[in-house]
Amino acid sequence: MKIAMIASEANPLAKSGGLADVVSALSEEYKKQGHEAIIVIPYYKSIDNKRPAGVEIKWLGRYGVDLGWRHLEAYGYGDDGERFAFFALASIRLLPFLEFAPDIIHVHDWQSAIIPTLLKERFHAESVYAHTHTVLTIHNPAFKGYLDPYFLNDFFGLSDDLFHSGRVRFEGQVSTLKAGIVDADKITTVSPTHREELLSESLSQGLCGILRLRENDFCGIVNGVDELEFDPKKDTRIALNFDAKNLVKGKEACRKDLLSSAEMKDNGGPIFGLVSRLTYQKGIDLILKAAHYTLDRGGNIIVLGSGEEGLENGLRYLQQFYPKQVHAHIGYSDDFAHKVYAGSDFFLMPSLFEPCGIGQLIAEKYGTLPVGRQTGGIADTVISYNGKNEDKANGFLFRDYDEGGLSYAMFEAEKVYKNKTLFHKLQRNALNTDNSWGSSAKLYLGIYEELNNRK
Ligand code: GLC
């Protein structure tokens, strides 16, 4: 099959979150399995500055894109309000320019979600799209892609009727995400539990009404981990490579290395690590509230991330208060991220909502037990220890989004940490969890094939 992935980001050129990992890892899997896959992302200015070694950028030519009455060249950028409208139209114009006739166009989140509507309404006569089917993946339902109704015609050349009839209207505005939900041939989100959440009144962030109409074309598929980047057996950024056999020794060496990078002395207590965007979605406020219980019992917390200023400052303050037990690295560093994954005992993931989540999957690979909230992909990928399931358990879950929930789960984790035989057993379970992309890619290909057979 010929597959075009259209998204706002992809590794290694542009990344703000897990979406970039998903887009590139899936495309690699498709190629491995004999399909032709291309990725379309905007040419951000930052790509020029941060181009990774070995990545070649080739000028392919120039083609015109009409954005309403504006005629732009597809090598520049529009101003902020128009950027992704331009990107959607430029992507649709790009494929004929490349003579790439896709069987599947797979769009991701609000930035490219209008494309299925554009294909149906405006570009169905383009010969390269004669056999194209579309798939939309929702990675983050919080972002609806709101636009002023006036843009529908002005930017996209679409009829205002689409707004008046309600097809692309959401809370009085145009929502590109809603357009995708209505018009894509299939819709997915990044875990089965998050699919259920999106179909429920209270957790769907307003989308359940429209998603229920598409329930039969909607499924949840969990993400995997990029094993080229995250593999404790081969990782060059960690102190000692390890697998299930030398797990205890490997974790010890990585712990020492992590503590020395964080300029902390080893007090023998458990290390709770966190690598995350510091936003309300990730439950950082709960960590700020619950931290002192663990810290007062001799635990340690090591954080890497950046985001909302209030949360960054809260973590800085926590470090000032407990300088020997807390390290908050505000910013980003790949090296330090790997050290946190490998050297921590537990990985905090108390998200308010989490469509899939990648941190807990990586942590498991490194034998680090997630302590997370039972929501979305966390619920699907962490088996919580319940006192009886030591053959399977690979982490700790709590349900209620409050300080009590998180501190309860951290306390359970600390108890297991003291029983080394049990602790090592759970670490091994985590390390042996299969979080590879192979099976998820097969599920996506199944959906593509089903659509392809409809021709
Ligand atoms: C978004 C979601 C996260 C998911 C990622 C990739 O960032 O918040 O849960 O893992 O997309 O699908």
Side-chain angles (χ1 to χ4, degrees), residues 10 47 67 75 77 124 133 168 197 224 271 342 423 432 449 453:
I47 289 179
L67 188 66
Y75 65 92
Y77 63 96
H124 47 271
H133 288 95
V168 303
E197 291 169 351
I271 302 177
F423 180 53
N432 289 328
E449 259 146 30
N453 290 337

Side-chain angles (χ1 to χ4, degrees), residues 26 30 221-224 436-445:
L26 269 182
Y30 298 158
I221 302 175
V222 285
N223 294 331
S436 60
W437 264 109
S439 39
S440 305
K442 275 203 195 100
L443 293 174
Y444 279 107
L445 285 167

Side-chain angles (χ1 to χ4, degrees), residues 17-20 22 109 137-140 190 223 277 281-282 353-358:
L19 172 60
V22 174
D109 278 351
T137 295
I138 304 173
H139 298 261
N140 198 332
V190 285
N223 294 331
R277 284 184 285 128
Q281 181 201 334
K282 301 294 179 180
F353 68 96
E354 196 63 79
C356 180
I358 269 176

Side-chain angles (χ1 to χ4, degrees), residues 83-364:
R83 275 171 61 162
F84 285 103
F86 173 72
F87 171 60
L89 288 162
S91 305
I92 292 179
R93 290 286 187 208
L94 175 68
L95 302 185
F97 175 77
L98 297 175
E99 293 173 13
F100 188 89
D103 298 297
I104 299 293
I105 287 187
H106 190 157
V107 298
H108 300 264
D109 278 351
W110 70 272
Q111 294 95 334
S112 50
I114 191 83
I115 288 174
T117 310
L118 285 165
L119 290 178
K120 272 194 186 157
E121 293 296 315
R122 261 191 77 188
F123 297 94
H124 47 271
E126 271 306 333
S127 58
V128 298
Y129 298 127
H131 301 290
T132 304
H133 288 95
T134 55
V135 177
L136 163 71
T137 295
I138 304 173
H139 298 261
N140 198 332
F143 300 109
K144 309 287 192 296
Y146 287 123
L147 290 172
D148 192 291
Y150 144 93
F151 289 149
L152 198 59
N153 187 260
D154 185 50
F155 281 0
F156 296 115
L158 292 171
S159 158
D160 288 333
D161 289 349
L162 297 184
F163 178 76
H164 297 304
S165 67
R167 182 156 140 201
V168 303
R169 189 176 65 220
F170 194 76
E171 294 177 340
Q173 286 179 284
V174 167
S175 155
T176 56
L177 186 65
K178 174 169 175 186
I181 293 172
V182 173
D183 282 318
D185 295 313
K186 290 276 181 186
I187 306 151
T188 73
T189 189
V190 285
S191 67
T193 296
H194 194 56
R195 174 185 182 275
E196 297 309 313
E197 291 169 351
L198 287 178
L199 290 169
S200 79
E201 199 76 44
S202 58
L203 299 172
S204 78
Q205 312 207 28
L207 294 173
C208 67
I210 186 69
L211 276 167
R212 281 178 193 163
L213 297 174
R214 300 291 323 269
E215 201 169 338
N216 296 334
D217 290 313
F218 180 31
C219 72
I221 302 175
V222 285
N223 294 331
V225 173
D226 178 354
E227 288 173 323
L228 288 178
E229 165 142 27
F230 295 106
D231 180 355
K233 279 203 293 278
K234 300 193 189 122
D235 194 329
T236 53
R237 293 177 158 115
I238 63 175
L240 187 75
N241 290 123
F242 61 91
D243 58 14
K245 277 188 236 121
N246 65 340
L247 176 104
V248 176
K249 213 168 144 216
K251 292 291 287 182
E252 249 163 42
C254 292
R255 173 190 177 95
K256 260 198 193 131
D257 182 43
L258 171 64
L259 288 170
S260 99
S261 305
E263 294 176 359
M264 284 160 68
K265 286 213 183 90
D266 198 341
N267 65 1
I271 302 177
F272 291 86
L274 172 75
V275 179
S276 178
R277 284 184 285 128
L278 302 179
T279 66
Y280 80 100
Q281 181 201 334
K282 301 294 179 180
I284 312 300
D285 55 322
L286 286 193
I287 296 178
L288 290 173
K289 285 184 199 139
H292 68 97
Y293 297 108
T294 295
L295 293 166
D296 290 342
R297 289 190 294 258
N300 304 280
I301 297 180
I302 299 183
V303 178
L304 169 65
S306 64
E308 290 163 20
E309 209 185 333
L311 299 173
E312 289 184 352
N313 286 339
L315 289 164
R316 288 191 183 105
Y317 181 69
L318 195 64
Q319 176 171 343
Q320 272 173 26
F321 215 80
Y322 294 90
K324 292 186 180 150
Q325 290 163 271
V326 175
H327 178 81
H329 180 135
I330 305 298
Y332 197 75
S333 148
D334 268 334
D335 280 342
F336 196 62
H338 283 246
K339 287 180 200 285
V340 175
Y341 284 120
S344 303
D345 300 298
F346 302 104
F347 189 84
L348 294 171
M349 200 92 184
S351 306
L352 176 61
F353 68 96
E354 196 63 79
C356 180
I358 269 176
Q360 83 278 18
L361 302 178
I362 301 174
E364 285 171 3

Side-chain angles (χ1 to χ4, degrees), residues 42-50 77:
Y43 190 2
Y44 300 108
K45 271 191 168 169
S46 60
I47 289 179
D48 268 342
N49 305 334
K50 286 195 302 209
Y77 63 96

